[in-house]
Amino acid sequence: MTPEISIVIPVYNEEESLPQLFTELYPVMEKMQRNYEIILVNDGSRDKSFSLLYDFQKMHNKNVRVIDFNGNFGQHMAIMAAFSNVRGKYIITLDADLQNPPAEIPNLIQQMDDGHDVVGTYRENRHDPIFRKAASKIVNKITNSITGLHISDYGCMLRGYSRRIVDIIAHSDESTTFIPALGQKYAVNPIEIAVKHREREFGESKYSMFRLIRLNFDLMTSFSLSPLQWVTMSGIGISILSFILVAYMVVRRFVIGSEANGLFTLMAIQFFLTGISIMSLGIIGEYIGRIYKQIQKRPRFVIKKIWEENADEEDN
Ligand code: UDP
Ligand code: MG
């Protein structure tokens, strides 16, 4: 029987959260009385996650599929792999750590029944420190203006997509990407709804500050060239200003004669400009790095095995 709803969940070292996720998710899905499948992607977990997923799959053989990766390819690639394998008409993504309550799923399905092809969400009463929320607000604003998209909350992964959108995303051949932004880009009739948000109860966030910055660069570089254009524009602006400064200095040299004062001002300006140059090189480098990855044409993710109904035990 083809499922109508596909639930997609990326899993990376979530052994503490998984038991409760299963306990909460399963009744929600059963209660809707529609055909469904749950696709769990094990993104190279090093803890007991896989054996928990395996047991869950065996227990609910008809409804649950587990895609087991060869290593850690990141949250967005895990979702991408599931998108290439979904069977449902409506696809819902959510995190394994229960920060997105499964009880919200029927609300998203309702919106899709109403004809929306992408259902975005924003976190109501987000349970995070105040400075993180403030930082997100700024990041959301800047990202919207860079990408030209309108998403209120880039960090919320509880989202619904119609099969048409998921197929487009699965066929986009980018080696690094940001799924919600892709979905929004191709949406014809999107909507955003508020969802509840919980603190992470078990385990810890899989994103260090460094990984978060990397992820934001993925988002920025795959959806916009404007950072490159800023580099060019600021280069032009700085050249014009320094040309005026040089002209002014030359005139002063003739009028007043040589001066050694103002050395520190000059150094300050110099340091500032050096900072800008290094940053600009970095931005250009971010794009070049991604072009490099893209032309290598390595697989974006490697699947070890898909565990599903009738999957053969022996060939593993
Ligand atoms: N995740 C993943 N691969 C990774 C990092 C994270 O599959 O390399 C999964 C993780 O298990 C969780 C979801 O992506 O289900 C979101 O991760 P997390 O909760 O750590 O992110 P945060 O909520 O802190 O942004
Ligand atoms: Mg989380």
Side-chain angles (χ1 to χ4, degrees):
M1 213 170 347
T2 21
E4 195 185 352
I5 301 169
S6 299
I7 305 291
V8 168
I9 308 176
V11 177
Y12 179 53
N13 296 342
E14 302 282 5
E15 60 182 6
E16 292 112 320
S17 306
L18 288 177
Q20 196 178 331
L21 174 73
F22 300 154
T23 328
E24 286 191 30
L25 180 62
Y26 193 66
V28 170
M29 297 314 296
E30 287 293 314
K31 211 173 142 214
M32 279 195 286
Q33 300 198 326
R34 291 163 87 152
N35 288 331
Y36 70 92
E37 62 173 358
I38 300 173
I39 305 183
L40 295 140
V41 186
N42 176 36
D43 187 15
S45 302
R46 285 182 301 265
D47 63 358
K48 290 203 288 290
S49 294
F50 177 72
S51 84
L52 292 170
L53 297 177
Y54 180 85
D55 293 345
F56 184 61
Q57 198 278 323
K58 286 284 162 274
M59 206 154 55
H60 305 287
N61 196 22
K62 288 201 164 40
N63 296 110
V64 178
R65 300 160 73 199
V66 172
I67 298 180
D68 191 21
F69 269 7
N70 226 359
N72 180 243
F73 292 88
Q75 179 185 4
H76 292 263
M77 283 308 140
I79 296 175
M80 197 61 107
F83 278 9
S84 316
N85 284 281
V86 289
R87 296 173 181 158
K89 196 168 83 175
Y90 300 156
I91 292 87
I92 306 278
T93 59
L94 78 154
D95 289 350
D97 61 359
L98 292 157
Q99 290 198 272
N100 314 130
E104 296 280 358
I105 292 174
N107 300 337
L108 275 81
I109 297 292
Q110 175 67 49
Q111 297 297 332
M112 307 204 70
D113 279 336
D114 289 348
H116 295 287
D117 55 354
V118 168
V119 184
T121 54
Y122 53 91
R123 292 167 282 192
E124 206 175 38
N125 301 323
R126 189 173 155 193
H127 292 277
D128 277 316
I130 243 174
F131 81 92
R132 259 209 77 171
K133 287 194 273 190
S136 292
K137 243 187 198 155
I138 299 169
V139 168
N140 284 330
K141 270 228 166 77
I142 296 179
T143 316
N144 275 335
S145 76
I146 291 180
T147 58
L149 299 170
H150 300 282
I151 296 182
S152 317
D153 188 355
Y154 280 86
C156 192
M157 291 299 285
L158 174 60
R159 283 166 194 277
Y161 307 90
S162 73
R163 179 58 176 277
R164 195 182 74 86
I165 300 288
V166 161
D167 288 342
I168 299 174
I169 294 177
H171 286 112
S172 69
D173 214 15
E174 304 167 37
S175 60
T176 50
T177 195
F178 198 88
I179 306 265
L182 270 182
Q184 193 72 15
K185 192 174 165 63
Y186 300 122
V188 178
N189 185 15
I191 190 172
E192 280 193 339
I193 59 172
V195 290
K196 294 208 175 54
H197 181 243
R198 294 192 286 205
E199 253 168 273
R200 193 185 238 277
E201 234 179 290
F202 313 99
E204 51 191 26
S205 172
K206 305 296 176 279
Y207 286 100
S208 59
M209 188 50 115
F210 181 71
R211 278 193 86 174
L212 263 183
I213 294 174
R214 311 268 352 120
L215 184 71
N216 273 292
F217 268 113
D218 282 346
L219 173 57
M220 188 180 81
T221 53
S222 47
F223 289 91
S224 173
L225 290 179
S226 53
L228 283 178
Q229 285 147 5
W230 295 341
V231 169
T232 321
M233 288 305 162
S234 53
I236 292 173
I238 290 168
S239 312
I240 293 173
L241 288 178
S242 28
F243 179 76
I244 296 172
L245 184 68
V246 170
Y248 172 71
M249 286 309 204
V250 169
V251 174
R252 268 183 81 97
R253 180 74 169 74
F254 284 118
V255 178
I256 303 176
S258 77
E259 308 166 282
N261 293 335
L263 183 63
F264 289 114
T265 321
L266 191 64
M267 278 174 77
I269 295 173
Q270 188 55 51
F271 284 149
F272 174 68
L273 293 183
T274 310
I276 291 191
S277 325
I278 294 175
M279 191 190 78
S280 308
L281 277 177
I283 291 178
I284 297 166
E286 291 287 342
Y287 284 91
I288 294 180
R290 280 163 179 77
I291 298 169
Y292 178 59
K293 269 184 91 170
Q294 192 79 33
I295 60 167
Q296 279 181 323
K297 283 198 191 298
R298 293 200 185 143
R300 299 184 287 177
F301 49 80
V302 182
I303 296 175
K304 206 194 291 176
K305 186 175 167 80
I306 300 181
W307 295 92
E308 55 192 8
E309 204 182 5
N310 307 325
D312 204 348
E313 294 271 343
E314 270 86 300
D315 68 358
N316 198 33

Coordinates of all heavy atoms in Angstrom, one line a residue, residues 95 97 99 200, ligand 2:
D95 N 13.0 17.1 13.7 CA 14.2 16.7 14.4 C 13.9 15.5 15.3 O 12.8 15.4 15.8 CB 14.8 17.9 15.2 CG 15.3 19.0 14.3 OD1 15.5 18.8 13.1 OD2 15.7 20.1 14.9
D97 N 15.2 15.2 18.2 CA 15.5 15.6 19.7 C 14.3 16.0 20.4 O 14.4 16.5 21.5 CB 16.6 16.6 19.8 CG 16.2 17.9 19.1 OD1 15.1 18.0 18.5 OD2 17.0 18.8 19.1
Q99 N 12.5 18.6 20.1 CA 12.3 20.0 20.2 C 11.1 20.5 19.4 O 10.4 21.4 19.7 CB 13.6 20.8 19.8 CG 14.7 20.7 20.7 CD 15.8 21.7 20.6 OE1 16.7 21.6 19.8 NE2 15.6 22.8 21.3
R200 N 15.7 21.2 24.5 CA 16.2 19.9 24.3 C 16.4 19.2 25.6 O 17.1 19.7 26.5 CB 17.6 20.0 23.6 CG 18.1 18.7 23.0 CD 19.5 19.0 22.5 NE 19.6 18.6 21.0 CZ 19.8 17.4 20.6 NH1 19.8 16.4 21.4 NH2 19.9 17.2 19.3
Ligands
MG2 MG 17.6 20.5 18.4

